[in-house]
Amino acid sequence: MKTLRPLRPRPAACAALAVFSCAAAPSRAQSANHSSPEPPAFREVVDETGRTVRIPQPVRRIVSIAPSLTETIYALGLQDRLVGDTDYCDYPPDAKNKTKVGGGVNPSLEVIASLHPDLVLATKSFNRPETTHALDELGIASYATDPHTVADIMSSLRELAEILGVPDAGAPVVEEMQHRLTDLQQRIGSWPPKRVLFVVWTQPLISTGQHTFLADAIRRAGAVSIVDSSQDWPQVNLEEIAKLQPDFLVFAESHSGEASREVEKLATLPGWKILHAIRDRRYAVISDAVNRPAPRIVSAIEDLAHQLHPEAFEQKPGDAKEKTDKEKPCARPYAFFPSFLNLPPPSLEHVRSTGGCACGR
């Protein structure tokens, strides 16, 4: 058998091979790089305060520093991603079991950092800009909401669902909220609105301005605030309130207890007894949910509408029974409010956290 001898490449072929090898080297290096783990992807968005934020994708670990955002996370079914929240995040009850990062005004940056969040959720009115700036310096992404109407609350929920990668979870929540609000409007839309004073705090007397989501919630319940202020949470003069004589006083309940005694105590305070609403016991107390720009605010709106316009919910002959007894008009001549009378002027953290300030919790 004849043995074949290997061919020796010609000099020109050797030169060509060398050039090809050099050209191919970067390609092999790039291929090697592609085989290594890629760095996490980021998504750049603009939050509701106008800040540009780079958010890691996907978002697997979330810290909420506002009770309203904690509620929203649960409403979206993302509670397993929530690794931390504030001392005031109490709804739903499971939120109390999350790692606490302190209050909303001064959360612990050390605790937040130790939780290694992909994203911290904040709201402009409840949290300070200094907090988000400090998180930026730590390299922790934060996204802030800033709703001023009930429609804004629903819009924020949709946007958060999109940012957190679950757009399909946000749509049904918003649709249900809108459906209930539309049904409520059909019931009370023809009734004249009640003139109300929403009492955020009694001493000093603090109410809500015209450009807050709380004022919009009051309007959707068939009422209008008598306080015409561009400030979100103005301190008002009781003598001026006496001149305006609201039809109802409205309170958000944050504690249960000696309600009847508190009503009588309010009637003894200087100036309050000259209000007709005090004399005639025209009070409405609604859930503290009205203080939080989250899905539960619709329930608070419905509750207030029932108390202010019970006639709109009265059954007509032949009408079907109301869905539940809870949804029927309140049989009490007046409702009660929480135990926050005769207290010293509240601090910013205290007002925000106890329901004294409705903005952005």
Side-chain angles (χ1 to χ4, degrees):
M1 177 180 294
K2 185 176 180 181
T3 302
L4 297 177
R5 299 176 61 186
L7 296 176
R8 294 183 180 180
R10 297 180 180 178
C14 291
L17 180 61
V19 171
F20 176 80
S21 299
C22 292
S27 297
R28 289 195 297 269
Q30 290 173 6
S31 298
N33 290 337
H34 286 166
S35 63
S36 62
E38 295 183 1
F42 289 86
R43 178 179 179 183
E44 192 170 276
V45 300
V46 177
D47 73 5
E48 294 178 21
T49 68
R51 296 169 54 246
T52 299
V53 184
R54 296 181 73 242
I55 301 176
Q57 298 294 306
V59 178
R60 296 189 178 93
R61 299 177 64 82
I62 304 169
V63 168
S64 164
I65 54 175
S68 59
L69 294 171
T70 295
E71 291 192 21
T72 299
I73 291 170
Y74 274 87
L76 294 173
L78 299 179
Q79 56 269 23
D80 290 343
R81 302 189 197 181
L82 184 66
V83 296
D85 61 18
T86 75
D87 298 335
Y88 305 108
C89 294
D90 55 5
Y91 187 88
D94 183 66
K96 299 177 184 179
N97 300 325
K98 300 295 182 179
T99 300
K100 300 303 175 182
V101 300
V105 175
N106 289 300
S108 170
L109 298 177
E110 291 79 8
V111 175
I112 292 175
S114 71
L115 295 173
H116 305 290
D118 297 313
L119 183 64
V120 174
L121 295 179
T123 189
K124 181 179 179 180
S125 298
F126 185 59
N127 307 113
R128 299 185 306 158
E130 290 83 356
T131 299
T132 54
H133 294 161
L135 291 170
D136 288 342
E137 293 178 359
L138 292 173
I140 300 174
S142 62
Y143 181 95
T145 63
D146 186 28
H148 290 266
T149 65
V150 176
D152 287 347
I153 294 172
M154 293 187 284
S155 177
S156 291
L157 192 150
R158 283 187 182 275
E159 186 64 22
L160 282 175
E162 174 69 25
I163 290 171
L164 297 176
V166 289
D168 292 341
V173 178
V174 172
E175 289 171 3
E176 172 65 15
M177 293 173 68
Q178 186 60 65
H179 173 76
R180 292 166 63 185
L181 291 170
T182 299
D183 180 69
L184 181 64
Q185 180 59 33
Q186 291 174 349
R187 282 183 173 270
I188 67 174
S190 61
W191 296 91
K194 301 292 186 181
R195 299 171 60 256
V196 305
L197 171 67
F198 190 97
V199 181
V200 172
W201 205 264
T202 56
Q203 294 185 334
L205 179 56
I206 300 174
S207 188
T208 181
Q210 294 292 336
H211 304 296
T212 64
F213 70 83
L214 179 53
D216 187 45
I218 291 171
R219 287 189 287 267
R220 288 176 179 265
V224 61
S225 173
I226 64 170
V227 177
D228 186 12
S229 174
S230 60
Q231 298 180 31
D232 285 350
W233 315 108
Q235 182 174 330
V236 295
N237 189 307
L238 189 54
E239 293 180 359
E240 292 298 321
I241 297 301
K243 293 179 182 178
L244 295 171
Q245 290 296 345
D247 299 323
F248 275 82
L249 303 183
V250 181
F251 302 86
E253 185 174 20
S254 55
H255 303 91
S256 60
E258 302 294 332
S260 59
R261 188 170 62 185
E262 298 295 356
V263 169
E264 297 305 321
K265 186 182 296 184
L266 181 63
T268 65
L269 294 179
W272 285 90
K273 61 180 66 177
I274 64 177
L275 294 181
H276 297 167
I278 289 285
R279 182 193 65 196
D280 299 333
R281 296 298 192 267
R282 295 195 302 268
Y283 301 92
V285 175
I286 54 179
S287 166
D288 187 46
V290 76
N291 286 340
R292 300 180 179 182
R296 280 197 309 149
I297 196 172
V298 175
S299 296
I301 293 171
E302 292 170 333
D303 185 14
L304 181 57
H306 274 82
Q307 295 186 56
L308 297 181
H309 300 283
E311 63 279 3
F313 298 89
E314 291 176 355
Q315 292 182 6
K316 297 178 181 179
D319 282 353
K321 185 178 180 180
E322 292 287 336
K323 293 180 181 179
T324 65
D325 291 338
K326 186 176 181 180
E327 293 178 340
K328 290 181 179 179
C330 181
R332 297 171 296 172
Y334 55 88
F336 304 113
F337 52 95
S339 305
F340 53 39
L341 300 177
N342 291 325
L343 296 175
S347 65
L348 179 61
E349 174 81 359
H350 190 195
V351 171
R352 284 174 167 171
S353 62
T354 59
C357 179
C359 52
R361 293 181 58 206

